[in-house]
Amino acid sequence: LAELIMANGQMAKTHIRESDGVQILVESMWTDMTDASVMEAACELLFALTASSDGNPDSDMLVGDSAEGAVDALLITMQTHITVESIQSSGCGTLHCLASA
């Protein structure tokens, strides 16, 4: 899904925003927090939602309550799976994009 979003850009991001996709993603992160493969996919999706195809900050997808919930879930995920490089990389990328937006 993250690859699809990176490839289709704003259209895919708009669809996710309009269907409360970020909130659903955050809820699934809390539900499956101990499953590294689920968290890896979730972190990659968060990064794809906040970055352009070249990894630079791109949008305001995560604003208000959705941003707070996503950041909380992301930080706990990064602490829980501290040795999973892909989670750390996409997590840091997401945080960078949010801080730069």
Side-chain angles (χ1 to χ4, degrees):
L1 188 54
E3 291 175 8
L4 176 68
I5 291 170
M6 292 298 267
N8 291 317
Q10 203 56 43
M11 187 171 90
K13 291 177 183 182
T14 299
H15 181 69
I16 288 171
R17 180 176 45 243
E18 290 173 354
S19 61
D20 292 326
V22 173
Q23 184 60 34
I24 293 167
L25 174 62
V26 170
E27 289 172 12
S28 72
M29 289 177 77
W30 289 116
T31 300
D32 295 318
M33 185 63 68
T34 59
D35 188 330
S37 62
V38 172
M39 292 302 97
E40 181 177 21
C43 290
E44 289 174 359
L45 181 54
L46 282 175
F47 180 58
L49 290 171
T50 59
S52 63
S53 60
D54 62 1
N56 290 314
D58 182 42
S59 73
D60 59 354
M61 278 294 297
L62 301 179
V63 294
D65 290 340
S66 66
E68 186 175 324
V71 170
D72 288 346
L74 178 62
L75 291 173
I76 298 299
T77 297
M78 292 175 73
Q79 290 174 338
T80 302
H81 302 283
I82 200 160
T83 61
V84 182
E85 184 178 336
S86 58
I87 289 175
Q88 300 303 315
S89 177
S90 57
C92 287
T94 300
L95 295 171
H96 167 77
C97 288
L98 290 173
S100 300

